[in-house]
Amino acid sequence: MAQGVLSFPLTSFHDDGSLDPDGFRTHVADRIATAPGAVFPACGTGEFFSLDEDEYRQVVTIAVEEAAGRLPVVAGVGYGWAQAARFARIAEEAGADALLVLPHYLVAAPQDGLVAQLEQLAARTRLPLIAYQRGQVAFTAASLRRVAAIPGVIGLKDGHSDLDRLQRLTLAAPDGFLFFNGAATAEIQARAYATVGVPAYSSAVHAFAPEIANAFFTALRDGDDRGDKAVDRLLRDFYVPLVELRDRVPGYAVSLVKAAARLRGRPVGPVRAPLTDPSPTDLADLRDLLNTGLDLVGAAL
C-alpha cells in the first residue's frame, strides 16, 4: 500500500439524502483510474456512520466490481464488535479484500478491552483486519504486540500523530505488520511519519483532486532530487490553507471534501446529517484554494 496514495472515496447521495449508486460507481471508477495503492469504501470519508446495512452492501459491492481485482478493496466496519461483525459478513459476501476497523462507539475502554474488541471481530470474519487508532482508541506498545498476534490482524492505521508513541509501536510490531498514516489531511505530516518508518498514507484530497494528491505523492517519494521544492510549495500554498479552512467548522474534514468534488462536477451529492455542507463564504474560499492547488500541478477545475 506504500506504492500509491490510499484512496478513500466519498459515498454519493441524492439531494433528498438517499443513496446514489450510479453516482458512487462513477466516482469510485474515476478514483481507481488514477492508480491508488488501495481503495477504502465506506470509511470515515465515505460516511460509514450514516449508512444502513443495505446501503453499505451496495457501496462495497460497487467498489469491488470497479476494482476488478486490480487493487485491494478495504471496507470500513465499526461500532461495537457485534455490529462490526454484521458489516464484516456483508463485506465478505461483497468480495472485499480486508477490513478497516474504525474506532468503537462512544465509550472509553482500557487496553485489555481494545485488544478484546479486535479478538472478537477477528474470530467472526475470514477477512484480514487493519485496526484504526484514533479518538478513544490508542494502543500501547505492549497492547500492539498482542494485537499483532491475533490471527488475521495485519496492520494499524494511526490518526493520533503522536510520533513518540508511533515509533514505539513500529518497533514493537513484527516484521511485515502494516502501518499507515491516517491523520486528517495526512500529507501535512507525511514527511514526519516517514521518519518513523510509516511512508504509506491516506489522502482525502485524492477524493476530489487526484492530480494534486498524486503530484504530492510523487514529489514526496522523489525528495528534493529535482531541486524544485515541490513538496514545500504544495504544503505551503495548498495543504496548510486547506487545513485552516477545514478547522473552521466541525465535520468539515468530510464536508469540504465533498464540496470540492461537487465544484469539479463529480456526482457525490451532499453530506448526511449530522454533517452540514459548507457555508457560501467557506465554499467560495474553497473554490479559490482548489483553483490554486490545481494550478500548482498544471491542472484545471
Side-chain angles (χ1 to χ4, degrees):
M1 290 194 294
Q3 303 308 307
V5 172
L6 303 179
S7 179
F8 285 67
L10 302 157
T11 298
S12 299
F13 299 120
H14 294 293
D15 288 341
D16 65 1
S18 61
L19 184 69
D20 178 6
D22 292 337
F24 178 71
R25 185 178 295 277
T26 297
H27 173 65
V28 76
D30 287 346
R31 301 312 95 190
I32 290 171
T34 64
V39 62
F40 290 69
C43 293
T45 305
E47 297 178 77
F48 166 79
F49 53 85
S50 76
L51 301 177
D52 66 27
E53 291 182 14
D54 180 63
E55 292 169 334
Y56 178 84
R57 183 184 300 275
Q58 293 183 67
V59 165
V60 178
T61 298
I62 289 169
V64 170
E65 289 173 350
E66 293 302 319
R70 291 172 291 170
L71 74 172
V73 175
V74 185
V77 297
Y79 308 113
W81 62 259
Q83 289 175 287
R86 291 173 64 92
F87 284 100
R89 286 194 292 273
I90 295 170
E92 280 189 34
E93 293 165 0
D97 298 296
L99 302 171
L100 178 65
V101 185
L102 303 173
H104 64 269
Y105 174 68
L106 189 61
V107 297
Q111 292 294 306
D112 285 348
L114 298 180
V115 175
Q117 165 92 335
L118 292 170
E119 289 174 334
Q120 293 287 349
L121 180 55
R124 289 165 173 80
T125 181
R126 297 188 301 272
L127 293 180
L129 304 180
I130 299 171
Y132 187 6
Q133 66 167 16
R134 185 171 183 164
Q136 67 269 38
V137 177
F139 294 103
T140 63
S143 294
L144 193 280
R145 293 187 189 97
R146 295 170 61 193
V147 166
I150 300 171
V153 179
I154 64 170
L156 178 74
K157 177 183 179 182
D158 175 71
H160 284 296
S161 304
D162 181 340
L163 296 183
D164 179 281
R165 175 187 291 265
L166 185 59
Q167 182 70 89
R168 296 168 190 265
L169 297 182
T170 60
L171 293 172
D175 290 344
F177 194 78
L178 302 175
F179 286 91
F180 66 94
N181 167 5
T185 315
E187 287 90 345
I188 291 286
Q189 300 183 65
R191 284 192 291 203
Y193 269 80
T195 65
V196 295
V198 184
Y201 63 88
S202 58
S203 175
V205 171
H206 191 270
F208 64 87
E211 306 97 323
I212 299 173
N214 287 336
F216 182 89
F217 179 87
T218 299
L220 185 68
R221 181 194 62 199
D222 293 348
D224 291 328
D225 294 343
R226 298 175 302 176
D228 58 3
K229 301 292 185 182
V231 171
D232 285 347
R233 187 168 63 253
L234 285 165
L235 288 173
R236 181 182 57 249
D237 296 339
F238 176 73
Y239 283 100
V240 169
L242 179 64
V243 169
E244 292 170 348
L245 181 56
R246 181 200 71 200
D247 289 347
R248 290 181 186 176
V249 177
Y252 265 17
V254 176
S255 300
L256 283 180
V257 173
K258 248 189 171 173
R262 291 195 302 273
L263 287 173
R264 304 199 72 194
R266 305 302 187 257
V268 297
V271 293
R272 274 182 174 174
L275 301 180
T276 59
D277 289 314
S279 69
T281 297
D282 292 343
L283 189 62
D285 290 344
L286 177 62
R287 181 188 292 273
D288 290 343
L289 180 56
L290 181 55
N291 279 318
T292 295
L294 291 169
D295 185 62
L296 285 170
V297 298
L301 188 63

